[in-house]
Amino acid sequence: MSTFRSFARRALTFGLLAGLANCAPGLVAPRSTGLGGIAPFPIGVSVYGPTLKNNPRYREAILRDFNSVTAEVEMKMGALKPVSATEYNWEDADYLVKFAKDNRMRVHGHTLIWHVVQPRWLETLPNDSATWEAVMRDHIQTTIRHFKGDVHAWDVVNEAYETSGELSNTMWRKHLGPGYVARAFRYARAADPKAKLFYNDFDLEGGPNKLNAVLVRLDELKAQGVPIDGVGLQMHSSLTTHTPSVIDALEKLAARGYLIHISEMDVAVNLYNLPTTRVLTPQLLADQKQKYKEIVAAYLKIPRLQQYGITMWGVHDGQTWLRENRPEWPLLLDDDFKYKPAYEGFVEALRGK
Ligand code: XIL
């Protein structure tokens, strides 16, 4: 064999191995570019379908740095079936999936059972548990089957627990009883035995109370054989987020063997909407850079096989969900799609600096 051919073969093997190392089990190796090319795990971003269609700069920014996408709205129940229990509108979610496929990006499925972004018709369903059970099962299984082969991981249940570890009194809990979380995961597993199934929640990284209470619940579910493969830490954090609490959450989840997804990351600088933080200053930008750096560095320390990835909740400050409430600049790119110090902090952490 010529030197060139053996070199090419070795390069190919190495490339494939590097590619495999860069994706969670069962997934196609995603494209590697920008942040996604530096990290040893996928770097994702939440995407708004209409903006993806209409704004080329938004699209370019996604392609420049990310190799995983989460639909910010399009895969939620209220978007998938706005009109009735049986009429699905796949168009918007399919558009995102095609974009991801065309560009070799992973799609993370978000989210099957939640109590927000719900269709109005749910409120008119009869008050009997059999009807609600059928709606839950059908929603989970029809959605998973529709995307089978393209979406290999799902947030099956989102934000089900209170800080105390009690189930939140959502419509699902009210109509289906406390066993609904376990059944949701079992329905999901039956629909796609290979898909990775996540429980996703906020504030697990915000201190020991909610973390420990929810871990007790997850341990109980695990003991009953409920198929939960991973946990999503939303990581809607801020300058006041206590990094040791983030480390604690990562370590406790890692010790339990879960895949861990930082699933909705942003670092708010104006959490309390105070006169001192309502205007973006170089100091706030520097503090934000530091917080990104610390959290990404902490994530790098968990075992490689449990690093499902880090997903940013939004492409740029101009379209953060947090602006629904107050002035805010929580992301890696500014209003004009330019890199912020936060981006440098992310890169420095990935590079071990
Ligand atoms: C938010 C989106 O950003 C908004 O555009 C949408 O209207 C409501 O949902 N936790 C979650 C996400 O799991 O799905 C939420 O996303 C933010 C909080």
Side-chain angles (χ1 to χ4, degrees):
M1 184 184 296
S2 74
T3 321
F4 173 73
R5 274 176 58 197
S6 81
F7 170 77
R9 205 177 61 171
R10 267 184 287 135
L12 191 66
T13 313
F14 178 75
L16 283 176
L17 287 176
L20 284 176
N22 197 30
C23 67
L27 301 177
V28 176
R31 77 208 299 267
S32 71
T33 172
L35 288 179
I38 303 170
F41 41 76
I43 302 288
V45 66
S46 71
V47 174
Y48 280 116
T51 320
L52 179 66
K53 273 191 192 150
N54 302 325
N55 186 341
R57 296 184 71 204
Y58 184 85
R59 200 182 176 94
E60 278 160 25
I62 295 168
L63 292 173
R64 195 163 57 224
D65 274 295
F66 302 100
N67 51 15
S68 174
V69 288
T70 301
E72 189 142 347
V73 179
E74 289 73 15
M75 288 189 188
K76 293 170 180 169
M77 192 192 257
L80 283 182
K81 36 192 191 188
V83 183
S84 77
T86 49
E87 290 169 81
Y88 284 80
N89 162 33
W90 302 115
E91 208 182 314
D92 297 340
D94 283 350
Y95 182 87
L96 178 62
V97 170
K98 181 168 184 322
F99 166 78
K101 262 172 103 165
D102 289 349
N103 293 291
R104 276 205 307 128
M105 299 169 116
R106 179 177 75 180
V107 182
H108 180 75
H110 175 81
T111 175
L112 295 166
I113 298 298
W114 194 26
H115 49 280
V116 184
V117 194
Q118 296 284 41
R120 298 299 298 270
W121 55 261
L122 265 185
E123 291 156 26
T124 64
L125 284 182
N127 185 14
D128 84 282
S129 57
T131 303
W132 279 82
E133 189 77 21
V135 167
M136 177 171 83
R137 187 183 54 232
D138 177 70
H139 181 69
I140 292 172
Q141 298 198 325
T142 305
T143 306
I144 289 183
R145 287 191 185 118
H146 177 82
F147 294 108
K148 207 167 177 172
D150 293 327
V151 179
H152 302 276
W154 285 95
D155 291 336
V156 179
V157 177
N158 197 29
E159 303 181 355
Y161 297 105
E162 301 288 320
T163 307
S164 62
E166 294 301 309
L167 278 169
S168 300
N169 200 21
T170 67
M171 61 180 93
W172 301 109
R173 162 75 183 78
K174 266 186 250 163
H175 292 288
L176 297 173
Y180 87 89
V181 174
R183 299 202 298 283
F185 278 93
R186 293 194 200 279
Y187 292 143
R189 178 63 97 226
D192 186 351
K194 290 198 189 130
K196 300 295 172 198
L197 307 180
F198 284 76
Y199 174 70
N200 192 52
D201 210 342
F202 61 92
D203 219 18
L204 296 175
E205 65 283 344
N209 294 351
K210 184 167 179 182
L211 175 69
N212 291 335
V214 171
L215 285 176
V216 169
R217 297 295 169 229
L218 294 178
D219 289 349
E220 286 166 5
L221 291 168
K222 215 170 179 179
Q224 295 160 30
V226 176
I228 304 179
D229 303 302
V231 174
L233 299 173
Q234 291 185 4
M235 205 64 74
H236 291 297
S237 51
S238 75
L239 298 185
T240 55
T241 296
H242 189 50
T243 306
S245 300
V246 175
I247 295 171
D248 186 41
L250 290 168
E251 285 177 349
K252 285 183 174 151
L253 288 168
R256 284 164 166 79
Y258 288 114
L259 288 171
I260 302 175
H261 185 197
I262 292 189
S263 57
E264 306 182 14
M265 187 169 190
D266 43 28
V267 178
V269 298
N270 183 32
L271 186 61
Y272 302 109
N273 205 4
L274 301 171
T276 46
T277 54
R278 213 172 286 148
V279 177
L280 190 61
T281 60
Q283 187 60 52
L284 288 175
L285 285 168
D287 293 347
Q288 185 183 48
K289 170 181 175 177
Q290 181 60 25
K291 193 54 74 184
Y292 267 103
K293 205 171 161 175
E294 288 172 13
I295 295 173
V296 174
Y299 187 76
L300 275 157
K301 294 215 171 83
I302 64 172
R304 172 64 200 103
L305 285 174
Q306 288 167 268
Q307 289 166 332
Y308 176 80
I310 298 181
T311 295
M312 295 300 308
W313 206 244
V315 177
H316 73 138
D317 286 344
Q319 252 192 323
T320 167
W321 71 301
L322 297 175
R323 285 203 184 164
E324 286 165 25
N325 304 316
R326 60 179 193 268
E328 192 51 83
W329 304 266
L331 297 169
L332 302 179
L333 276 64
D334 70 12
D335 281 66
D336 200 29
F337 295 98
K338 297 219 171 63
Y339 290 138
K340 294 165 61 189
Y343 182 91
E344 292 163 25
F346 203 118
V347 171
E348 285 171 18
L350 289 177
R351 295 218 153 107
K353 284 192 187 152

